[in-house]
Amino acid sequence: MSRETRGAFAIVAGDAQADRVVPPTGFTAWLTLFSAAAMAFLAVFAVALALATGRLADRWSEELARTSTVRISAPEGQMAAQTEAALKVLRTTEGVKSARALSDTEQRELLEPWFGPDVPVEALPIPRLIEIVETGEGYDPQGLRLRLSAEVPGAVLDDHTRWRRPLVRAAGRLRFLGWVSLALIGGATAAMITLAARAALAANSQVISVLRLVGARDSYIAQAFVRRFTLRALTGAAVGAALGVVAILLLPRAQAEGGFLTGLGFQGVHWLWPLAVPPLAALVGYVATRAAALGTLRDLP
Amino acid sequence: MKRRRCKGAAVIELENVAYSYGGGELLSEISLTLQPGSFHFLTGPSGAGKTTLLKLCYGALVPTAGHLSLFETEVRSMTRDDIALARRRIGVVHQDCQFLDHLPVADNIALPLTVSGRDTLEQESNLKELTAWVGLSHRAHAFPPELSGGERQRAALARAVIMSPDVVLADEPTGNVDWEMSLRLLHLLAELNRMGKTIMIATHDLALIRAAKTQVQARVLRISNRRLQLAGADL
Ligand SMILES: Nc1ncnc2c1ncn2[C@@H]1O[C@H](COP(=O)(O)OP(=O)(O)OP(=O)(O)O)[C@@H](O)[C@H]1O
Ligand SMILES: [Mg+2]
């Protein structure tokens, strides 16, 4: 076993003797626990935000990439002819993979959320919709619009990209900010634990000098501090992460279409994320305290 | 680790060592060889640098000039871990006897075993014996702040020798105890010396030195004017 693995093992297994040589530190212990819990709580939200906005951005850009619609508004008698004409134009347009007129049933389904199931859609003068699936490169909307206006007077090209693209960008940015927040929370946790560890080391300078006098190695002395702060970070973060998950589970539910806010949860393997928060906090605590302890000890005679 | 050859197998060797805390030189041209099994007293006026010289001898300070070897290894080439390992072979009785105040006396005496991972059952009986040897059996479960000055010094001596070190460096080990206890501590150190341990004691107590001369072959060193002199003749 390498020295590092042994060190990590000793953290878990515990070395009561090594722990006892440093006096207990009541108040800072509680502060560390509390801060770790608060940071873990925030971290769970940051992860949830990043994952939810990520899902949103993916869904939107996937839909974006694939489809746009042509809307045909024409008098009853010309509807079929104009639809046919528009489909012909679309079939010969470069960048259009396929074009298909929606059936009445499909159109009714689209309108249902707005008018309810009992509205006689057939009786309403609603336009016919043609769904366009683009190729990877996409078509030139300006050119298509010109050709349609020349050949199908009642056709309007509805290019979702125009209003959705900024939304996708915003969702993407939000996801990025979620991960940045997580990194900042990690950094703040490391800074907080470093400060606490340094304070504990400074408060115990007499203990350290006695230990050195009787032949303790730096790693032994550091271990006593590292073990404490790692366990505190782990315990605090476990409590904080659990509370964060409960808070997310308690968010009010809405339908699947409820959109972004109610989508703020974990799905499938993403549940591993909140579970990973406490071990990650412990790792941050271990690295930060070890660096602080060995650094401080090196400066002592 | 670079090894320096020197005559015999000196335990601690100083060669033209100088030390200064930043101001002028406190110690100059100090040359001293502690042979295994030797017994030294270190005297000199208060502030002469006795404690400083002992600190050099256990690697707590590094000379500002000259060579210092611990167990034949130049101290400047030793890592912090090397120093820690060397300390386990050097029992130190500190002038102000520092302890871990949150642990009972018995645990403090056993501390060198604890930190070196030699905290075994067999040592447990050693600890009892040693605690009795320094007359602290009844105080074993007390905490250091509850001890008298003399009790602290005896506990410090017990802690210094529990690892059965090659060298014992004691700084005023009898500063706070009555004459009878001084003689008892001296007797303990003389006994260790007869077991082959190297001993160096910094003290003001000339009567103690005289008493020691009847028990062991001791050399008396004196720091005056920053130099180290042999001061046997006038005692
Ligand atoms: N850490 C330090 N920084 C600066 N000066 C120091 C330091 N430690 C000791 N000194 C100074 O060095 C000088 C020698 O100190 P030292 O403790 O070695 O004397 P000593 O011979 O042991 O005296 P005493 O008999 O009173 O114990 C003193 O003048 C002291 O003030
Ligand atoms: Mg002194």
Side-chain angles (χ1 to χ4, degrees), chain B residues 21 26 44-53 55 95 171-172 204:
Chain B
Y21 279 107
L26 176 66
S46 175
K50 301 181 292 295
T51 299
T52 306
L53 182 57
K55 283 184 174 169
Q95 189 166 14
D171 200 352
E172 309 278 0
H204 289 288

Side-chain angles (χ1 to χ4, degrees), chain A residues 124-200:
Chain A
L124 293 172
I126 53 167
R128 171 68 60 195
L129 294 178
I130 298 175
E131 186 187 66
I132 303 172
V133 178
E134 299 172 29
T135 61
E137 301 84 59
Y139 57 83
D140 164 27
Q142 230 61 47
L144 181 60
R145 214 165 262 135
L146 279 174
R147 281 184 64 198
L148 282 173
S149 64
E151 298 181 30
V152 192
V156 176
L157 174 64
D158 193 353
D159 184 8
H160 314 270
T161 52
R162 237 179 324 115
W163 60 273
R164 272 210 167 161
R165 198 147 274 157
L167 283 185
V168 172
R169 257 208 309 278
R173 186 69 57 83
L174 216 50
R175 158 166 59 182
F176 174 69
L177 288 178
W179 293 122
V180 168
S181 307
L182 190 67
L184 289 177
I185 289 169
T189 308
M192 180 268 300
I193 291 179
T194 301
L195 287 174
R198 280 187 175 272

Side-chain angles (χ1 to χ4, degrees), chain A residues 3 17-24 206-220 294 296-301, chain B residues 58 60-61 80-81 83-85 87-88 90 92 94 98-104 107-108 111-112 114-117 119 159 163:
Chain A
R3 183 189 284 197
Q17 269 301 340
D19 229 20
R20 254 160 46 85
V21 299
V22 178
Q206 142 116 21
V207 168
I208 291 170
S209 85
V210 170
L211 290 174
R212 287 197 59 78
L213 187 70
V214 299
R217 295 176 199 230
D218 283 357
S219 54
Y220 180 91
L294 292 179
T296 307
L297 290 172
R298 222 169 284 128
D299 294 340
L300 292 174
Chain B
Y58 61 84
L61 298 174
R80 291 177 65 82
D81 273 359
I83 299 269
L85 294 181
R87 293 255 177 93
R88 296 179 188 178
I90 305 175
V92 179
H94 219 267
Q98 295 172 338
F99 295 100
L100 300 184
D101 289 345
H102 65 288
L103 293 182
D107 289 8
N108 266 286
L111 197 60
T114 310
V115 304
S116 61
D119 210 358
R159 183 180 67 187
M163 289 278 276

